[in-house]
Amino acid sequence: MAGQGAWRREVDALPQNMTPDAAREFLADGTRPAIIATIRADGRPHAVPVWFALDGDDLLINISENSVKGRDLMRDPRVAVVVDDEAPPYAFVMVEGVAEMSKDPGAVHEGSLRIGRRYLGDDGAEQFVRYATGPGNVLVRIRPTRMVAQDNIAG
């Protein structure tokens, strides 16, 4: 039938939902930052880039408990995180979840080491750990409650 090839190409070019495994791979790949969105006390959103690492399905970030996002998460642990690929054909993973903050020195050190290794490699990780384990810094574990992940957005 005429035109079936064109239809097939159009369907193949549509955005594709990622499988959970593909989304996990996407999140673990490379050194893309995440954008974390929290809820300010007056209800306004607060969104900033952060470094992160995966621990199973959980996302780990290191923040100051006195930062805007730290104060937001202490008051309301709901959070959204977006990681995107800015190169064609574009992709993204959006995770909604609940944040748990830990001041435990061992957890903060281990989580910060994972994050540092991801972005700076083994050689630079310890320098990041020294920064990330300073006074007032906490490890945030984001436990996903919902995820949207698409690939080939502009294929």
Side-chain angles (χ1 to χ4, degrees):
M1 176 180 263
Q4 276 189 334
W7 170 249
R8 183 76 249 152
R9 281 191 300 277
E10 287 177 26
V11 170
D12 288 343
L14 294 175
Q16 303 293 313
N17 289 330
M18 289 186 211
T19 65
D21 286 341
R24 214 174 286 109
E25 261 184 60
F26 178 86
L27 290 171
D29 184 46
T31 58
R32 291 184 288 263
I35 304 298
I36 181 173
T38 59
I39 304 165
R40 292 179 187 247
D42 65 4
R44 291 179 299 143
H46 175 70
V48 293
V50 294
W51 285 0
F52 73 100
L54 283 182
D55 184 16
D57 288 342
D58 297 345
L59 283 77
L60 304 176
I61 65 170
N62 180 283
I63 64 172
S64 167
E65 64 184 333
N66 295 317
S67 65
V68 171
K69 59 190 164 299
R71 291 189 311 269
D72 289 348
L73 292 175
M74 282 189 275
R75 190 189 63 267
D76 186 339
R78 295 176 298 166
V79 64
V81 179
V82 175
V83 179
D84 71 325
D85 183 354
E86 297 178 354
Y90 310 107
F92 75 90
V93 173
M94 186 278 301
V95 174
E96 293 177 351
V98 177
E100 298 173 2
M101 298 172 71
S102 175
K103 295 181 184 181
D104 175 70
V108 175
H109 183 273
E110 179 58 34
S112 300
L113 188 58
R114 283 177 166 224
I115 296 165
R117 282 185 179 143
R118 175 182 183 154
Y119 291 92
L120 301 172
D122 288 335
D123 293 338
E126 282 300 327
Q127 182 178 351
F128 178 75
V129 168
R130 282 193 296 278
Y131 156 77
T133 57
N137 286 346
V138 297
L139 182 72
V140 177
R141 176 176 295 275
I142 299 168
R143 299 197 184 275
T145 57
R146 180 174 180 261
M147 181 180 66
V148 176
Q150 290 197 330
D151 197 4
N152 197 35
I153 293 170

mmCIF file of all heavy atoms in Angstrom, residues 103-150:
data_model
loop_
_atom_site.group_PDB
_atom_site.id
_atom_site.type_symbol
_atom_site.label_atom_id
_atom_site.label_comp_id
_atom_site.label_asym_id
_atom_site.label_seq_id
_atom_site.Cartn_x
_atom_site.Cartn_y
_atom_site.Cartn_z
ATOM 1 N N LYS A 103 21.290 13.961 58.402
ATOM 2 C CA LYS A 103 22.484 14.627 58.918
ATOM 3 C C LYS A 103 23.530 13.614 59.363
ATOM 4 O O LYS A 103 24.615 14.003 59.807
ATOM 5 C CB LYS A 103 22.116 15.513 60.112
ATOM 6 C CG LYS A 103 21.218 16.670 59.763
ATOM 7 C CD LYS A 103 20.923 17.493 61.015
ATOM 8 C CE LYS A 103 19.955 18.601 60.713
ATOM 9 N NZ LYS A 103 19.674 19.434 61.899
ATOM 10 N N ASP A 104 23.198 12.320 59.256
ATOM 11 C CA ASP A 104 24.121 11.276 59.675
ATOM 12 C C ASP A 104 25.443 11.435 58.922
ATOM 13 O O ASP A 104 25.460 11.386 57.688
ATOM 14 C CB ASP A 104 23.519 9.894 59.390
ATOM 15 C CG ASP A 104 24.494 8.786 59.697
ATOM 16 O OD1 ASP A 104 24.785 8.559 60.887
ATOM 17 O OD2 ASP A 104 25.004 8.158 58.735
ATOM 18 N N PRO A 105 26.563 11.623 59.643
ATOM 19 C CA PRO A 105 27.842 11.872 58.971
ATOM 20 C C PRO A 105 28.235 10.777 57.979
ATOM 21 O O PRO A 105 28.764 11.073 56.905
ATOM 22 C CB PRO A 105 28.848 11.951 60.122
ATOM 23 C CG PRO A 105 28.042 12.321 61.319
ATOM 24 C CD PRO A 105 26.686 11.688 61.105
ATOM 25 N N GLY A 106 27.965 9.525 58.315
ATOM 26 C CA GLY A 106 28.306 8.436 57.396
ATOM 27 C C GLY A 106 27.493 8.493 56.112
ATOM 28 O O GLY A 106 28.022 8.324 55.010
ATOM 29 N N ALA A 107 26.198 8.762 56.249
ATOM 30 C CA ALA A 107 25.327 8.852 55.071
ATOM 31 C C ALA A 107 25.695 10.058 54.218
ATOM 32 O O ALA A 107 25.740 9.961 52.982
ATOM 33 C CB ALA A 107 23.861 8.939 55.502
ATOM 34 N N VAL A 108 25.961 11.192 54.857
ATOM 35 C CA VAL A 108 26.333 12.398 54.105
ATOM 36 C C VAL A 108 27.644 12.148 53.357
ATOM 37 O O VAL A 108 27.769 12.497 52.181
ATOM 38 C CB VAL A 108 26.442 13.625 55.037
ATOM 39 C CG1 VAL A 108 26.949 14.842 54.267
ATOM 40 C CG2 VAL A 108 25.096 13.934 55.690
ATOM 41 N N HIS A 109 28.619 11.525 54.022
ATOM 42 C CA HIS A 109 29.913 11.246 53.384
ATOM 43 C C HIS A 109 29.736 10.294 52.201
ATOM 44 O O HIS A 109 30.221 10.565 51.104
ATOM 45 C CB HIS A 109 30.897 10.662 54.406
ATOM 46 C CG HIS A 109 32.256 10.433 53.825
ATOM 47 N ND1 HIS A 109 32.604 9.264 53.171
ATOM 48 C CD2 HIS A 109 33.346 11.237 53.763
ATOM 49 C CE1 HIS A 109 33.843 9.349 52.758
ATOM 50 N NE2 HIS A 109 34.323 10.537 53.102
ATOM 51 N N GLU A 110 29.049 9.182 52.417
ATOM 52 C CA GLU A 110 28.893 8.177 51.354
ATOM 53 C C GLU A 110 28.111 8.737 50.169
ATOM 54 O O GLU A 110 28.494 8.553 49.013
ATOM 55 C CB GLU A 110 28.203 6.925 51.894
ATOM 56 C CG GLU A 110 27.989 5.838 50.858
ATOM 57 C CD GLU A 110 29.272 5.360 50.180
ATOM 58 O OE1 GLU A 110 30.335 5.333 50.835
ATOM 59 O OE2 GLU A 110 29.218 5.023 48.972
ATOM 60 N N GLY A 111 27.023 9.430 50.437
ATOM 61 C CA GLY A 111 26.244 10.017 49.346
ATOM 62 C C GLY A 111 27.027 11.069 48.590
ATOM 63 O O GLY A 111 26.987 11.131 47.353
ATOM 64 N N SER A 112 27.763 11.900 49.321
ATOM 65 C CA SER A 112 28.572 12.949 48.687
ATOM 66 C C SER A 112 29.692 12.340 47.852
ATOM 67 O O SER A 112 30.035 12.868 46.782
ATOM 68 C CB SER A 112 29.153 13.883 49.752
ATOM 69 O OG SER A 112 28.105 14.488 50.481
ATOM 70 N N LEU A 113 30.257 11.247 48.315
ATOM 71 C CA LEU A 113 31.299 10.559 47.553
ATOM 72 C C LEU A 113 30.736 10.034 46.231
ATOM 73 O O LEU A 113 31.362 10.175 45.177
ATOM 74 C CB LEU A 113 31.886 9.419 48.383
ATOM 75 C CG LEU A 113 33.109 8.713 47.816
ATOM 76 C CD1 LEU A 113 34.250 9.694 47.571
ATOM 77 C CD2 LEU A 113 33.559 7.606 48.769
ATOM 78 N N ARG A 114 29.546 9.461 46.263
ATOM 79 C CA ARG A 114 28.897 8.989 45.020
ATOM 80 C C ARG A 114 28.685 10.142 44.038
ATOM 81 O O ARG A 114 28.935 10.026 42.852
ATOM 82 C CB ARG A 114 27.546 8.356 45.322
ATOM 83 C CG ARG A 114 27.609 6.994 45.883
ATOM 84 C CD ARG A 114 26.195 6.521 46.201
ATOM 85 N NE ARG A 114 26.233 5.105 46.429
ATOM 86 C CZ ARG A 114 25.365 4.251 45.949
ATOM 87 N NH1 ARG A 114 24.346 4.667 45.237
ATOM 88 N NH2 ARG A 114 25.481 2.975 46.198
ATOM 89 N N ILE A 115 28.182 11.246 44.563
ATOM 90 C CA ILE A 115 27.921 12.414 43.720
ATOM 91 C C ILE A 115 29.238 12.961 43.169
ATOM 92 O O ILE A 115 29.352 13.249 41.971
ATOM 93 C CB ILE A 115 27.154 13.493 44.512
ATOM 94 C CG1 ILE A 115 25.772 12.975 44.914
ATOM 95 C CG2 ILE A 115 27.043 14.785 43.697
ATOM 96 C CD1 ILE A 115 25.077 13.805 45.985
ATOM 97 N N GLY A 116 30.228 13.110 44.030
ATOM 98 C CA GLY A 116 31.530 13.627 43.597
ATOM 99 C C GLY A 116 32.179 12.761 42.539
ATOM 100 O O GLY A 116 32.743 13.277 41.559
ATOM 101 N N ARG A 117 32.110 11.454 42.696
ATOM 102 C CA ARG A 117 32.695 10.548 41.689
ATOM 103 C C ARG A 117 31.996 10.694 40.344
ATOM 104 O O ARG A 117 32.624 10.628 39.304
ATOM 105 C CB ARG A 117 32.606 9.104 42.166
ATOM 106 C CG ARG A 117 33.642 8.751 43.189
ATOM 107 C CD ARG A 117 33.600 7.286 43.545
ATOM 108 N NE ARG A 117 34.631 6.977 44.507
ATOM 109 C CZ ARG A 117 34.489 6.123 45.496
ATOM 110 N NH1 ARG A 117 33.341 5.461 45.659
ATOM 111 N NH2 ARG A 117 35.481 5.899 46.337
ATOM 112 N N ARG A 118 30.688 10.863 40.398
ATOM 113 C CA ARG A 118 29.938 10.991 39.142
ATOM 114 C C ARG A 118 30.400 12.211 38.347
ATOM 115 O O ARG A 118 30.594 12.138 37.141
ATOM 116 C CB ARG A 118 28.447 11.097 39.438
ATOM 117 C CG ARG A 118 27.668 11.346 38.167
ATOM 118 C CD ARG A 118 26.211 11.512 38.381
ATOM 119 N NE ARG A 118 25.591 11.669 37.071
ATOM 120 C CZ ARG A 118 24.369 11.376 36.787
ATOM 121 N NH1 ARG A 118 23.592 10.901 37.735
ATOM 122 N NH2 ARG A 118 23.902 11.562 35.591
ATOM 123 N N TYR A 119 30.544 13.340 38.997
ATOM 124 C CA TYR A 119 30.831 14.582 38.290
ATOM 125 C C TYR A 119 32.316 14.915 38.182
ATOM 126 O O TYR A 119 32.710 15.622 37.256
ATOM 127 C CB TYR A 119 30.085 15.748 38.952
ATOM 128 C CG TYR A 119 28.601 15.637 38.738
ATOM 129 C CD1 TYR A 119 27.789 14.981 39.655
ATOM 130 C CD2 TYR A 119 28.000 16.156 37.594
ATOM 131 C CE1 TYR A 119 26.425 14.859 39.454
ATOM 132 C CE2 TYR A 119 26.634 16.029 37.381
ATOM 133 C CZ TYR A 119 25.855 15.380 38.308
ATOM 134 O OH TYR A 119 24.511 15.234 38.096
ATOM 135 N N LEU A 120 33.125 14.438 39.114
ATOM 136 C CA LEU A 120 34.528 14.819 39.136
ATOM 137 C C LEU A 120 35.490 13.644 39.009
ATOM 138 O O LEU A 120 36.697 13.853 38.989
ATOM 139 C CB LEU A 120 34.830 15.579 40.440
ATOM 140 C CG LEU A 120 34.006 16.846 40.660
ATOM 141 C CD1 LEU A 120 34.240 17.394 42.057
ATOM 142 C CD2 LEU A 120 34.339 17.884 39.597
ATOM 143 N N GLY A 121 34.951 12.427 38.959
ATOM 144 C CA GLY A 121 35.819 11.258 38.893
ATOM 145 C C GLY A 121 36.456 10.974 40.241
ATOM 146 O O GLY A 121 36.270 11.715 41.214
ATOM 147 N N ASP A 122 37.206 9.892 40.303
ATOM 148 C CA ASP A 122 37.837 9.493 41.564
ATOM 149 C C ASP A 122 38.792 10.559 42.096
ATOM 150 O O ASP A 122 38.871 10.778 43.292
ATOM 151 C CB ASP A 122 38.582 8.168 41.398
ATOM 152 C CG ASP A 122 37.638 6.990 41.253
ATOM 153 O OD1 ASP A 122 36.482 7.085 41.726
ATOM 154 O OD2 ASP A 122 38.044 5.979 40.652
ATOM 155 N N ASP A 123 39.521 11.228 41.189
ATOM 156 C CA ASP A 123 40.522 12.206 41.629
ATOM 157 C C ASP A 123 39.905 13.430 42.298
ATOM 158 O O ASP A 123 40.459 13.972 43.248
ATOM 159 C CB ASP A 123 41.389 12.654 40.447
ATOM 160 C CG ASP A 123 42.258 11.523 39.911
ATOM 161 O OD1 ASP A 123 42.507 10.550 40.661
ATOM 162 O OD2 ASP A 123 42.681 11.617 38.749
ATOM 163 N N GLY A 124 38.766 13.891 41.825
ATOM 164 C CA GLY A 124 38.154 15.098 42.377
ATOM 165 C C GLY A 124 37.100 14.854 43.428
ATOM 166 O O GLY A 124 36.631 15.798 44.071
ATOM 167 N N ALA A 125 36.718 13.588 43.613
ATOM 168 C CA ALA A 125 35.603 13.281 44.520
ATOM 169 C C ALA A 125 35.877 13.706 45.953
ATOM 170 O O ALA A 125 34.989 14.242 46.622
ATOM 171 C CB ALA A 125 35.270 11.795 44.459
ATOM 172 N N GLU A 126 37.086 13.482 46.437
ATOM 173 C CA GLU A 126 37.386 13.814 47.837
ATOM 174 C C GLU A 126 37.295 15.317 48.089
ATOM 175 O O GLU A 126 36.871 15.741 49.162
ATOM 176 C CB GLU A 126 38.755 13.277 48.253
ATOM 177 C CG GLU A 126 38.752 11.800 48.541
ATOM 178 C CD GLU A 126 37.790 11.389 49.670
ATOM 179 O OE1 GLU A 126 37.576 12.159 50.640
ATOM 180 O OE2 GLU A 126 37.240 10.277 49.572
ATOM 181 N N GLN A 127 37.679 16.123 47.107
ATOM 182 C CA GLN A 127 37.544 17.575 47.268
ATOM 183 C C GLN A 127 36.066 17.948 47.409
ATOM 184 O O GLN A 127 35.699 18.764 48.246
ATOM 185 C CB GLN A 127 38.153 18.300 46.073
ATOM 186 C CG GLN A 127 38.101 19.797 46.204
ATOM 187 C CD GLN A 127 38.759 20.496 45.032
ATOM 188 O OE1 GLN A 127 39.397 19.892 44.195
ATOM 189 N NE2 GLN A 127 38.591 21.803 44.978
ATOM 190 N N PHE A 128 35.198 17.320 46.604
ATOM 191 C CA PHE A 128 33.764 17.581 46.724
ATOM 192 C C PHE A 128 33.251 17.116 48.085
ATOM 193 O O PHE A 128 32.454 17.804 48.719
ATOM 194 C CB PHE A 128 32.988 16.886 45.602
ATOM 195 C CG PHE A 128 31.504 17.086 45.707
ATOM 196 C CD1 PHE A 128 30.928 18.299 45.367
ATOM 197 C CD2 PHE A 128 30.683 16.071 46.175
ATOM 198 C CE1 PHE A 128 29.551 18.510 45.493
ATOM 199 C CE2 PHE A 128 29.311 16.263 46.296
ATOM 200 C CZ PHE A 128 28.746 17.481 45.954
ATOM 201 N N VAL A 129 33.717 15.969 48.554
ATOM 202 C CA VAL A 129 33.279 15.446 49.856
ATOM 203 C C VAL A 129 33.645 16.425 50.972
ATOM 204 O O VAL A 129 32.842 16.674 51.873
ATOM 205 C CB VAL A 129 33.864 14.043 50.117
ATOM 206 C CG1 VAL A 129 33.669 13.624 51.563
ATOM 207 C CG2 VAL A 129 33.235 13.022 49.174
ATOM 208 N N ARG A 130 34.845 17.010 50.909
ATOM 209 C CA ARG A 130 35.241 17.986 51.939
ATOM 210 C C ARG A 130 34.266 19.168 51.956
ATOM 211 O O ARG A 130 33.869 19.635 53.021
ATOM 212 C CB ARG A 130 36.678 18.455 51.713
ATOM 213 C CG ARG A 130 37.704 17.441 52.172
ATOM 214 C CD ARG A 130 39.102 18.027 52.229
ATOM 215 N NE ARG A 130 39.615 18.431 50.921
ATOM 216 C CZ ARG A 130 40.166 17.611 50.028
ATOM 217 N NH1 ARG A 130 40.276 16.324 50.307
ATOM 218 N NH2 ARG A 130 40.603 18.065 48.879
ATOM 219 N N TYR A 131 33.887 19.636 50.772
ATOM 220 C CA TYR A 131 32.918 20.727 50.682
ATOM 221 C C TYR A 131 31.536 20.259 51.181
ATOM 222 O O TYR A 131 30.891 20.928 51.979
ATOM 223 C CB TYR A 131 32.822 21.216 49.234
ATOM 224 C CG TYR A 131 31.513 21.884 48.908
ATOM 225 C CD1 TYR A 131 31.252 23.189 49.331
ATOM 226 C CD2 TYR A 131 30.510 21.213 48.212
ATOM 227 C CE1 TYR A 131 30.034 23.798 49.055
ATOM 228 C CE2 TYR A 131 29.297 21.813 47.934
ATOM 229 C CZ TYR A 131 29.066 23.106 48.361
ATOM 230 O OH TYR A 131 27.867 23.699 48.096
ATOM 231 N N ALA A 132 31.081 19.114 50.705
ATOM 232 C CA ALA A 132 29.710 18.642 50.929
ATOM 233 C C ALA A 132 29.452 18.156 52.346
ATOM 234 O O ALA A 132 28.296 18.044 52.753
ATOM 235 C CB ALA A 132 29.379 17.539 49.928
ATOM 236 N N THR A 133 30.499 17.864 53.091
ATOM 237 C CA THR A 133 30.307 17.381 54.461
ATOM 238 C C THR A 133 30.571 18.487 55.487
ATOM 239 O O THR A 133 30.658 18.212 56.681
ATOM 240 C CB THR A 133 31.209 16.160 54.749
ATOM 241 O OG1 THR A 133 32.578 16.517 54.509
ATOM 242 C CG2 THR A 133 30.823 14.972 53.895
ATOM 243 N N GLY A 134 30.668 19.716 55.017
ATOM 244 C CA GLY A 134 30.885 20.848 55.915
ATOM 245 C C GLY A 134 29.674 21.097 56.801
ATOM 246 O O GLY A 134 28.603 20.504 56.621
ATOM 247 N N PRO A 135 29.825 21.999 57.752
ATOM 248 C CA PRO A 135 28.730 22.309 58.681
ATOM 249 C C PRO A 135 27.449 22.705 57.951
ATOM 250 O O PRO A 135 27.477 23.489 57.005
ATOM 251 C CB PRO A 135 29.274 23.487 59.484
ATOM 252 C CG PRO A 135 30.759 23.418 59.336
ATOM 253 C CD PRO A 135 31.008 22.814 57.987
ATOM 254 N N GLY A 136 26.333 22.126 58.384
ATOM 255 C CA GLY A 136 25.029 22.470 57.838
ATOM 256 C C GLY A 136 24.632 21.734 56.569
ATOM 257 O O GLY A 136 23.517 21.895 56.091
ATOM 258 N N ASN A 137 25.530 20.918 56.028
ATOM 259 C CA ASN A 137 25.183 20.167 54.813
ATOM 260 C C ASN A 137 24.517 18.853 55.173
ATOM 261 O O ASN A 137 24.860 18.215 56.169
ATOM 262 C CB ASN A 137 26.408 19.918 53.944
ATOM 263 C CG ASN A 137 26.862 21.176 53.235
ATOM 264 O OD1 ASN A 137 26.136 22.153 53.173
ATOM 265 N ND2 ASN A 137 28.054 21.141 52.701
ATOM 266 N N VAL A 138 23.543 18.476 54.367
ATOM 267 C CA VAL A 138 22.785 17.252 54.590
ATOM 268 C C VAL A 138 22.698 16.466 53.283
ATOM 269 O O VAL A 138 22.857 17.026 52.197
ATOM 270 C CB VAL A 138 21.360 17.548 55.111
ATOM 271 C CG1 VAL A 138 21.411 18.228 56.468
ATOM 272 C CG2 VAL A 138 20.570 18.374 54.125
ATOM 273 N N LEU A 139 22.439 15.193 53.416
ATOM 274 C CA LEU A 139 22.175 14.351 52.254
ATOM 275 C C LEU A 139 20.660 14.248 52.111
ATOM 276 O O LEU A 139 19.954 13.989 53.083
ATOM 277 C CB LEU A 139 22.767 12.952 52.431
ATOM 278 C CG LEU A 139 22.563 12.049 51.215
ATOM 279 C CD1 LEU A 139 23.447 12.492 50.060
ATOM 280 C CD2 LEU A 139 22.833 10.597 51.576
ATOM 281 N N VAL A 140 20.182 14.460 50.902
ATOM 282 C CA VAL A 140 18.761 14.337 50.617
ATOM 283 C C VAL A 140 18.564 13.115 49.737
ATOM 284 O O VAL A 140 19.203 12.982 48.694
ATOM 285 C CB VAL A 140 18.218 15.595 49.905
ATOM 286 C CG1 VAL A 140 16.747 15.413 49.561
ATOM 287 C CG2 VAL A 140 18.418 16.827 50.774
ATOM 288 N N ARG A 141 17.703 12.231 50.183
ATOM 289 C CA ARG A 141 17.315 11.035 49.418
ATOM 290 C C ARG A 141 15.906 11.284 48.903
ATOM 291 O O ARG A 141 14.980 11.487 49.691
ATOM 292 C CB ARG A 141 17.358 9.796 50.293
ATOM 293 C CG ARG A 141 16.885 8.524 49.587
ATOM 294 C CD ARG A 141 17.033 7.310 50.483
ATOM 295 N NE ARG A 141 18.423 7.042 50.773
ATOM 296 C CZ ARG A 141 19.236 6.329 49.987
ATOM 297 N NH1 ARG A 141 18.776 5.806 48.868
ATOM 298 N NH2 ARG A 141 20.497 6.134 50.326
ATOM 299 N N ILE A 142 15.766 11.296 47.583
ATOM 300 C CA ILE A 142 14.459 11.517 46.977
ATOM 301 C C ILE A 142 13.903 10.164 46.559
ATOM 302 O O ILE A 142 14.475 9.489 45.702
ATOM 303 C CB ILE A 142 14.557 12.477 45.774
ATOM 304 C CG1 ILE A 142 15.089 13.833 46.265
ATOM 305 C CG2 ILE A 142 13.196 12.607 45.077
ATOM 306 C CD1 ILE A 142 15.509 14.761 45.162
ATOM 307 N N ARG A 143 12.813 9.784 47.199
ATOM 308 C CA ARG A 143 12.148 8.515 46.897
ATOM 309 C C ARG A 143 11.031 8.787 45.886
ATOM 310 O O ARG A 143 10.076 9.498 46.202
ATOM 311 C CB ARG A 143 11.598 7.898 48.159
ATOM 312 C CG ARG A 143 12.701 7.583 49.171
ATOM 313 C CD ARG A 143 12.245 6.613 50.230
ATOM 314 N NE ARG A 143 13.263 6.402 51.228
ATOM 315 C CZ ARG A 143 14.255 5.521 51.133
ATOM 316 N NH1 ARG A 143 14.365 4.774 50.066
ATOM 317 N NH2 ARG A 143 15.138 5.383 52.118
ATOM 318 N N PRO A 144 11.167 8.245 44.678
ATOM 319 C CA PRO A 144 10.183 8.530 43.625
ATOM 320 C C PRO A 144 8.791 8.002 43.948
ATOM 321 O O PRO A 144 8.636 6.907 44.485
ATOM 322 C CB PRO A 144 10.744 7.807 42.401
ATOM 323 C CG PRO A 144 12.190 7.599 42.697
ATOM 324 C CD PRO A 144 12.280 7.435 44.187
ATOM 325 N N THR A 145 7.790 8.821 43.626
ATOM 326 C CA THR A 145 6.400 8.397 43.719
ATOM 327 C C THR A 145 5.755 8.368 42.330
ATOM 328 O O THR A 145 4.738 7.721 42.135
ATOM 329 C CB THR A 145 5.586 9.335 44.631
ATOM 330 O OG1 THR A 145 5.691 10.675 44.141
ATOM 331 C CG2 THR A 145 6.095 9.268 46.061
ATOM 332 N N ARG A 146 6.339 9.088 41.386
ATOM 333 C CA ARG A 146 5.820 9.154 40.016
ATOM 334 C C ARG A 146 6.963 9.540 39.091
ATOM 335 O O ARG A 146 7.835 10.313 39.477
ATOM 336 C CB ARG A 146 4.720 10.202 39.933
ATOM 337 C CG ARG A 146 4.108 10.347 38.555
ATOM 338 C CD ARG A 146 2.903 11.323 38.591
ATOM 339 N NE ARG A 146 2.340 11.443 37.277
ATOM 340 C CZ ARG A 146 2.595 12.444 36.432
ATOM 341 N NH1 ARG A 146 3.394 13.424 36.792
ATOM 342 N NH2 ARG A 146 2.037 12.481 35.247
ATOM 343 N N MET A 147 6.931 9.000 37.866
ATOM 344 C CA MET A 147 7.968 9.335 36.914
ATOM 345 C C MET A 147 7.360 9.455 35.518
ATOM 346 O O MET A 147 6.483 8.674 35.143
ATOM 347 C CB MET A 147 9.051 8.254 36.904
ATOM 348 C CG MET A 147 10.178 8.563 35.937
ATOM 349 S SD MET A 147 11.443 7.288 35.920
ATOM 350 C CE MET A 147 10.551 5.906 35.255
ATOM 351 N N VAL A 148 7.837 10.442 34.766
ATOM 352 C CA VAL A 148 7.514 10.584 33.351
ATOM 353 C C VAL A 148 8.856 10.634 32.632
ATOM 354 O O VAL A 148 9.736 11.422 33.013
ATOM 355 C CB VAL A 148 6.721 11.887 33.072
ATOM 356 C CG1 VAL A 148 6.484 12.065 31.586
ATOM 357 C CG2 VAL A 148 5.402 11.865 33.837
ATOM 358 N N ALA A 149 9.023 9.790 31.615
ATOM 359 C CA ALA A 149 10.294 9.735 30.897
ATOM 360 C C ALA A 149 10.033 9.550 29.420
ATOM 361 O O ALA A 149 9.350 8.598 29.028
ATOM 362 C CB ALA A 149 11.142 8.578 31.438
ATOM 363 N N GLN A 150 10.565 10.470 28.616
ATOM 364 C CA GLN A 150 10.376 10.380 27.176
ATOM 365 C C GLN A 150 11.697 10.541 26.440
ATOM 366 O O GLN A 150 12.556 11.306 26.853
ATOM 367 C CB GLN A 150 9.378 11.428 26.674
ATOM 368 C CG GLN A 150 7.969 11.132 27.111
ATOM 369 C CD GLN A 150 6.950 11.895 26.300
ATOM 370 O OE1 GLN A 150 7.227 12.978 25.821
ATOM 371 N NE2 GLN A 150 5.780 11.302 26.144
#
